Amino acid sequence: MKSNTFGIVLKTKKKWLSNSVELISSMRFSISLLVIISISSIIGTVVNQNEPTINYVNQFGPFWAEFFAYFSVFSVYSSWWFLIIMTFLVFSTSFCVFRNSPKILRDVRSWKENVKENSLRNFQHCFEWHSKTDANLLLEKVSSLIRLKGYSLKILNQNKNILVLAKKGSANKMGYIFAHLAIVIICIGGLLDSSLPISMQLWFLNKEPFIGNGIISQIPKKNRLSIKNPTFRGSAFVSEGSTVNTAIIQSGEGVMVQDLPFSILLERFNIDFYTTGMPKLFASEVIITDHETGESFPSVIKVNKPLIYKGYSVYQSSFEDGGSLLKLIGYPMKGSSKKEFKIEGEVGSSSSFESSENLNYNVEWTGFRLLNVENTVDNGQDLRAVNQSLSFNEKFSLEFEKRLGSSVNLEKNKNLTNIGPSIQYKLRDKNGQAREFNNYMLPVLINGHNFFLAGVRNTPSENFKFLRIPVDNKNTIEEWMRIRAALENKNFIEKAALRYSNKVYIDNENSLNLRNQLYNSALKSINVFIGNEIESGYVAISKFISELPESQKEKATEVLIKILNGTLWELWQISRESDGLPPAEANEKNGRFLQLSLNALADSFLYDAPVLFQLSGFDEIKASVFQVTKSPGKFIVYAGCIFLVVGIFSMLYINQRRIWILIKNNKNQTETNLMAMSSPRRNLDFEKEFESFKKDLRM
């Protein structure tokens, strides 16, 4: 076997074997693998890893999500091709070290003794000087000078001459070996801490991921990993007052259950927030119980302060709701009924109810947040994306300016305020179709008036769009719900139209005709506003007006809105009378409430839900999410990092230098002595040192 500049070449008749070994052991192959790993690491950093499949479908679409999943883009570091590349990099770099180390070590130990006088004269940094000093005295002077500058020294007698050899910084060459060994060591540590050990168990020990829902304690052994599993990285979810003794490891489309030799009891979860609403500090007060000894001890797990026990590391990863108990009031959003009902729920579970239309729905309580710090200058995106009263050019200009730089940003004035608790839930009908809702418990001050915000979205990839329901004098949504229900009561609508038209004073037949026309117009305005399943609210009114002649549009709009507001006022009074309540006082405050209610009613058709749930009480239960790891390879990686630091430091900051000084040994004669100096890196310091030697040797 011999070595060349490309790779190890085997003396064999099998050319494919020789070519393969040469390729794998070559530097070009190692560099190519490093480039591929670097690109893969960039992808793994940019793209969130190991998330549920639905998140990637929402982000990239079904086609690209499936395409990227086929190449393991969403699990780069545990993919088979990444592990294979890492393995080949280990072998390739090991071969490189094996091939080059003997030559480097020989060069480090070598003094370059066979150099000739003519060769020294050909050095770029060569210096000759004349001296009448005795050769032995000159040798003593030169030796002292070289040792003073930190060089190692060797003296050779060549015929009548003396050759002084000196070198410094030989560790520079060792830096190459350390740096390449560091890559090998770090890759080996990475492989030990990768999913390779778990994959080996899946391949050879008949283990398989668990797919579906199930109780952890009842999951069979083939879906579980024992405490002897050498390495893993999983997550553990535990709510306050509960205990967990397993970790969940994502594996393909399913999960593996990792048994732990201890249990974690979460006594209390503490969290503190910044004024922006971002978590400032969160920590878990836990009790650890060893299964083998039965001993227990308390501990506090904080961010960047993990619990280390028996080779396992427990990190504070995040926090979630642990199953808070909710008390809610359900308000019908369809039909003429305004009868509310009470319902209770638990975050993470589901409840069922029957709507006013006698349809069964299932509500899944998906989230609860105690604090919501929002910008209340313009909080919540309206169901109408932009104010419908603006023209197209005004809407475009407004949206365009919002996306400009900070110098012209219209939204840089913010009023960050905690607007209280909120709930998140999904309503699922009998066909399995679901929409997601996000409702706030307390009213929010927006543009000088208080609103209850009720958000809705069709898919998780969308932002919530909010229905803004104005509060009444009791700081509730009861009056708005009363108007909403009355708007779907035909008898109330006819009475309201009649009462509104009766305000016309009759003194002749023309006045009677005017009253009849006003009655029909009131009915028409309400019916147009109610619309149908396709168009309703202001959209239906806009379409109705657009069909009129251009000369009549402006006046018709003004008259229609005036009639609609007047009829809606009467409708509100009739609804209150039917509930035994006195009429609302005709003042500016109630007029403003009615106008805001009309806007919310126009948006409620887009809300499209059979019921609106409002939070009336809760019992918060927090939960902590831990990341549990067992990573023996990390110590190997640490050692590799030390090798890498030493290697890079040696290559960058240790400069190898060699000196040859030839002293002529003819007594009592003036002789010409010769000095040569070399270095792989001839920088400014090297030039200064060479000039310093020249000056000292002349003296």
Side-chain angles (χ1 to χ4, degrees):
M1 184 176 73
K2 65 179 182 178
S3 173
N4 62 19
T5 57
F6 295 97
I8 297 174
V9 179
L10 293 178
K11 291 182 178 180
T12 176
K13 294 181 179 180
K14 298 179 179 179
K15 191 173 181 179
W16 66 268
L17 179 60
S18 175
N19 292 338
S20 299
V21 173
E22 190 278 329
L23 174 64
I24 294 176
S25 61
S26 64
M27 188 62 70
R28 66 182 186 278
F29 186 70
S30 298
I31 294 175
S32 300
L33 293 179
L34 279 173
V35 170
I36 295 174
I37 288 178
S38 300
I39 295 174
S40 302
S41 299
I42 293 173
I43 295 174
T45 303
V46 173
V47 180
N48 294 332
Q49 300 289 291
N50 300 316
E51 290 194 350
T53 304
I54 186 63
N55 291 4
Y56 299 117
V57 173
N58 293 332
Q59 184 176 0
F60 300 105
F63 173 78
W64 288 110
E66 184 177 356
F67 178 81
F68 291 148
Y70 181 79
F71 292 100
S72 303
V73 173
F74 308 134
S75 55
V76 171
Y77 304 113
S78 60
S79 62
W80 61 268
W81 54 266
F82 189 83
L83 297 178
I84 289 176
I85 293 174
M86 289 276 288
T87 304
F88 271 102
L89 181 61
V90 169
F91 282 108
S92 179
T93 311
S94 299
F95 279 131
C96 289
V97 173
F98 175 78
R99 177 170 58 88
N100 292 300
S101 292
K103 180 182 177 182
I104 293 174
L105 293 175
R106 284 195 303 269
D107 188 62
V108 169
R109 293 193 296 264
S110 173
W111 287 90
K112 307 292 184 182
E113 302 170 357
N114 298 323
V115 65
K116 303 298 181 181
E117 182 176 350
N118 290 334
S119 299
L120 294 178
R121 295 184 186 279
N122 292 327
F123 275 61
Q124 181 177 351
H125 291 79
C126 178
F127 166 62
E128 297 183 28
W129 82 99
H130 302 284
S131 175
K132 295 182 180 181
T133 307
D134 180 72
N136 291 327
L137 294 176
L138 182 59
L139 175 61
E140 185 178 347
K141 174 186 175 182
V142 169
S143 300
S144 299
L145 177 63
I146 290 176
R147 288 192 180 98
L148 186 64
K149 292 184 179 291
Y151 283 78
S152 299
L153 188 66
K154 185 176 181 179
I155 301 173
L156 294 177
N157 291 316
Q158 294 182 345
N159 298 324
K160 296 180 180 181
N161 302 324
I162 301 174
L163 180 62
V164 180
L165 306 171
K167 62 180 180 178
K168 181 172 70 173
S170 297
N172 171 270
K173 293 281 188 178
M174 297 298 296
Y176 292 92
I177 297 178
F178 283 132
H180 286 77
L181 278 178
I183 296 175
V184 175
I185 295 171
I186 291 173
C187 288
I188 291 175
L191 287 173
L192 287 177
D193 285 349
S194 69
S195 63
L196 184 60
I198 296 178
S199 299
M200 297 289 286
Q201 296 181 62
L202 295 176
W203 296 336
F204 302 111
L205 297 181
N206 296 323
K207 298 288 186 179
E208 62 181 47
F210 179 80
I211 300 176
N213 298 320
I215 301 174
I216 293 180
S217 60
Q218 298 178 0
I219 292 179
K221 288 186 177 181
K222 66 178 181 179
N223 307 122
R224 308 177 77 97
L225 300 172
S226 72
I227 58 175
K228 295 181 180 180
N229 183 27
T231 178
F232 69 89
R233 184 181 300 271
S235 60
F237 175 91
V238 55
S239 56
E240 288 180 320
S242 299
T243 302
V244 65
N245 55 13
T246 58
I248 303 300
I249 304 171
Q250 194 73 29
S251 179
E253 295 294 328
V255 297
M256 299 294 294
V257 178
Q258 172 65 57
D259 293 320
L260 303 176
F262 54 86
S263 59
I264 306 172
L265 168 64
L266 179 61
E267 283 194 313
R268 181 181 177 83
F269 181 78
N270 302 308
I271 184 169
D272 191 14
F273 293 90
Y274 290 105
T275 55
T276 59
M278 295 296 293
K280 180 180 181 181
L281 170 69
F282 49 96
S284 299
E285 299 177 13
V286 300
I287 294 179
I288 306 298
T289 303
D290 192 301
H291 294 168
E292 183 178 358
T293 64
E295 296 180 355
S296 299
F297 62 90
S299 181
V300 177
I301 304 175
K302 300 180 180 179
V303 177
N304 298 326
K305 292 184 179 180
L307 167 69
I308 310 295
Y309 183 65
K310 284 190 171 183
Y312 294 81
S313 301
V314 183
Y315 297 88
Q316 181 69 64
S317 176
S318 62
F319 61 92
E320 294 183 9
D321 189 277
S324 296
L325 304 178
L326 309 174
K327 296 180 180 179
L328 307 104
I329 299 176
Y331 294 94
M333 290 291 288
K334 291 185 177 181
S336 59
S337 173
K338 56 181 180 293
K339 185 178 180 181
E340 61 191 53
F341 62 93
K342 295 182 179 180
I343 188 172
E344 295 184 354
E346 178 181 346
V347 175
S349 64
S350 60
S351 307
S352 59
F353 69 94
E354 187 177 281
S355 69
S356 58
E357 300 171 307
N358 298 323
L359 297 176
N360 292 321
Y361 286 88
N362 194 55
V363 53
E364 301 168 3
W365 310 106
T366 57
F368 168 77
R369 292 187 64 181
L370 179 63
L371 301 176
N372 289 276
V373 178
E374 303 286 353
N375 175 25
T376 56
V377 171
D378 186 16
N379 186 1
Q381 183 181 2
D382 202 342
L383 283 177
R384 298 161 294 167
V386 186
N387 192 334
Q388 298 299 314
S389 63
L390 299 178
S391 67
F392 174 80
N393 290 333
E394 290 172 326
K395 294 176 187 177
F396 178 81
S397 177
L398 179 60
E399 291 300 311
F400 179 75
E401 289 176 334
K402 286 181 179 180
R403 288 158 175 77
L404 293 177
S406 59
S407 60
V408 293
N409 195 339
L410 300 178
E411 298 187 38
K412 57 186 176 182
N413 294 324
K414 294 184 177 181
N415 182 20
L416 297 176
T417 306
N418 175 27
I419 58 177
S422 66
I423 56 166
Q424 197 163 318
Y425 60 91
K426 291 181 179 180
L427 278 183
R428 195 175 299 276
D429 59 23
K430 62 180 181 179
N431 297 322
Q433 300 296 319
R435 301 178 78 204
E436 195 169 13
F437 300 85
N438 184 23
N439 298 346
Y440 289 87
M441 180 180 183
L442 303 176
V444 180
L445 182 65
I446 303 175
N447 298 331
H449 201 281
N450 288 316
F451 295 88
F452 284 99
L453 299 180
V456 60
R457 66 182 179 186
N458 294 319
T459 63
S461 61
E462 297 179 1
N463 293 324
F464 281 103
K465 296 182 180 180
F466 288 91
L467 173 64
R468 301 177 179 181
I469 303 177
V471 302
D472 52 29
N473 293 331
K474 297 180 181 179
N475 215 33
T476 67
I477 60 174
E478 292 180 1
E479 290 298 323
W480 186 85
M481 287 294 177
R482 179 176 285 110
I483 298 174
R484 186 215 61 78
L487 201 59
E488 298 197 35
N489 189 318
K490 292 184 178 180
N491 292 331
F492 283 5
I493 291 175
E494 291 177 357
K495 289 181 181 179
L498 181 61
R499 183 178 294 186
Y500 179 73
S501 63
N502 284 339
K503 291 185 176 181
V504 176
Y505 177 72
I506 299 179
D507 58 353
N508 53 43
E509 186 175 348
N510 290 333
S511 299
L512 181 60
N513 292 334
L514 180 60
R515 175 180 288 181
N516 291 334
Q517 291 177 7
L518 189 58
Y519 172 77
N520 292 329
S521 297
L523 284 178
K524 182 66 175 179
S525 65
I526 290 290
N527 289 328
V528 169
F529 184 78
I530 295 174
N532 50 48
E533 295 181 355
I534 300 176
E535 293 175 339
S536 55
Y538 290 135
V539 175
I541 290 178
S542 177
K543 183 178 179 181
F544 174 77
I545 294 176
S546 66
E547 296 174 353
L548 298 176
E550 191 67 32
S551 59
Q552 301 179 12
K553 286 183 179 180
E554 184 176 352
K555 184 176 181 180
T557 301
E558 182 180 351
V559 172
L560 184 60
I561 294 300
K562 183 178 180 180
I563 293 175
L564 181 61
N565 283 326
T567 308
L568 193 65
W569 173 269
E570 300 298 336
L571 185 65
W572 182 21
Q573 308 311 312
I574 292 172
S575 178
R576 288 179 60 86
E577 291 172 6
S578 68
D579 293 334
L581 298 174
E585 184 179 351
N587 54 31
E588 183 179 354
K589 182 179 180 180
N590 286 334
R592 174 63 175 165
F593 169 77
L594 188 67
Q595 181 59 53
L596 296 174
S597 296
L598 184 63
N599 294 338
L601 288 169
D603 288 348
S604 67
F605 300 112
L606 303 175
Y607 190 74
D608 193 24
V611 67
L612 184 148
F613 289 109
Q614 187 180 35
L615 189 64
S616 60
F618 58 87
D619 183 9
E620 185 187 21
I621 299 176
K622 304 185 186 74
S624 190
V625 180
F626 298 116
Q627 185 180 78
V628 186
T629 66
K630 187 179 182 182
S631 50
K634 68 181 180 181
F635 299 105
I636 299 176
V637 173
Y638 294 159
C641 291
I642 294 175
F643 271 78
L644 187 61
V645 171
V646 171
I648 293 177
F649 181 86
S650 300
M651 289 188 292
L652 295 181
Y653 298 102
I654 298 179
N655 194 5
Q656 184 186 27
R657 297 174 187 181
R658 291 181 180 271
I659 299 175
W660 295 266
I661 299 178
L662 184 63
I663 301 175
K664 299 295 181 65
N665 196 14
N666 291 335
K667 297 182 178 180
N668 302 321
Q669 295 183 18
T670 302
E671 292 295 339
T672 301
N673 302 305
L674 181 64
M675 185 200 79
M677 190 172 180
S678 72
S679 174
R681 292 200 300 267
R682 297 168 185 174
N683 50 26
L684 184 60
D685 290 337
F686 175 77
E687 299 290 344
K688 288 181 178 179
E689 188 172 15
F690 178 69
E691 294 298 327
S692 176
F693 268 111
K694 290 169 59 176
K695 180 180 179 182
D696 293 336
L697 290 174
R698 286 195 185 102
M699 295 176 63

